[in-house]
Amino acid sequence: FGPMSLKDLEKGRLKRNVTPMLPYAALAFLDEAFKAQASLLSCLLSTLNERCFKNGDQMLKELPLVTAIVASNEVPCDAGAGALVDRLLIRVFVDYVDNQDDAEGNNPQNDVMNSKFVSHDEKVEPVVSFADFKAFRGMVRGLMPHPANKFAADESAGKREVPAMLRLNGAQVRSDTWVRRLEQQLVLFSKDDAEKLCKENFLKEDADGLVVIKDAFVPTDADEDLSKKTDFRYQPLKKNWRLREPKKLHELKEQLGVTETERKVTYPYILSFASETETV
């Protein structure tokens, strides 16, 4: 968001020099965003979601930001970063560059390290243009109307039908109900992690899918036995969390390659769980 303004600081005001920074950017790349302090993470929430930023006594509204790309070398597990993760609609896990030769004898890591860098004299052709980002944003807006307009089509036709009832996590809710899900991720770093999840009674299959029936062990300062190993590399896995997909235990085992039929699976493997469901 820019450095603090020294002139305003001398007058007892906290204000940033934001002119060449994020509040005036149309396309932003935020590297290691989760390492930012809590106050900056809070500012990012309003910038990404409402497109506004409070700079001292000045409120900047309707920021020109079209798309933001966030990169991180770690999967954020703390509650403070969870709200920011919710703002990232597309999440892609990028693994380490492979150092093993492929079938043709090429080494991906060597290819990257020895690749030729483009000089300033060479013309760079973008794969995706800014116009493409704007077109994609417009398409998404058309597919995701504002909640206030969810009855617009019926009211314009002079009718408002009674919504149907749906079953959601064992409860009956109206089909027009807006649902907010608090999502958690579990990263399986190896086949051993996958086998532990599937074979050590962490999951139970019920009518609505797969639910966690016991907490994963994560040691704390209060634990006396420090020799006991953590279950999933200090990642939380809590009772009553519900796995998004798949809904059957045998399907999960097939996806993770822990069945008798060997299936090649690329690790790390990320699973998404719903920790809580709230209708609004």
Side-chain angles (χ1 to χ4, degrees), residues 216-220 223 229-238:
F217 175 67
V218 178
T220 64
D223 291 312
K229 293 183 178 180
T230 177
D231 283 321
F232 299 103
R233 305 194 186 193
Y234 295 91
Q235 297 177 92
L237 182 66
K238 299 293 185 180

Side-chain angles (χ1 to χ4, degrees), residues 14-30:
L14 293 177
K15 204 168 184 179
R16 294 179 178 274
N17 293 320
V18 298
T19 304
M21 308 305 289
L22 179 60
Y24 289 92
L27 181 62
F29 174 67
L30 309 177

Side-chain angles (χ1 to χ4, degrees), residues 20-150:
M21 308 305 289
L22 179 60
Y24 289 92
L27 181 62
F29 174 67
L30 309 177
D31 194 19
E32 297 296 348
F34 299 109
K35 285 185 170 62
Q37 55 184 310
S39 59
L40 291 180
L41 287 176
S42 179
C43 293
L44 273 177
L45 298 182
S46 61
T47 301
L48 297 179
N49 205 53
E50 288 87 19
R51 296 296 194 271
C52 63
F53 173 67
K54 191 174 189 307
N55 188 24
D57 57 355
Q58 180 186 19
M59 177 62 79
L60 303 176
K61 298 182 179 180
E62 298 182 3
L63 302 183
L65 184 64
V66 173
T67 296
I69 301 171
V70 177
S72 175
N73 276 317
E74 55 194 22
V75 178
C77 297
D78 59 292
L84 179 57
V85 174
D86 288 341
R87 267 68 174 181
L88 309 177
L89 301 183
I90 301 176
R91 304 162 195 169
V92 180
F93 189 93
V94 181
D95 200 358
Y96 294 105
V97 179
D98 196 354
N99 192 28
Q100 302 296 322
D101 293 344
D102 57 21
E104 299 178 356
N106 298 319
N107 188 298
Q109 190 175 85
N110 290 340
D111 292 342
V112 172
M113 298 300 295
N114 298 320
S115 60
K116 178 185 176 183
F117 290 94
V118 178
S119 67
H120 295 291
D121 298 331
E122 297 182 45
K123 185 178 180 181
V124 178
E125 294 292 341
V127 177
V128 180
S129 68
F130 185 65
D132 294 328
F133 278 109
K134 296 184 71 173
F136 180 70
R137 184 188 185 193
M139 180 186 69
V140 172
R141 280 186 168 181
L143 296 174
M144 301 175 65
H146 192 275
N149 298 329
K150 60 182 178 179

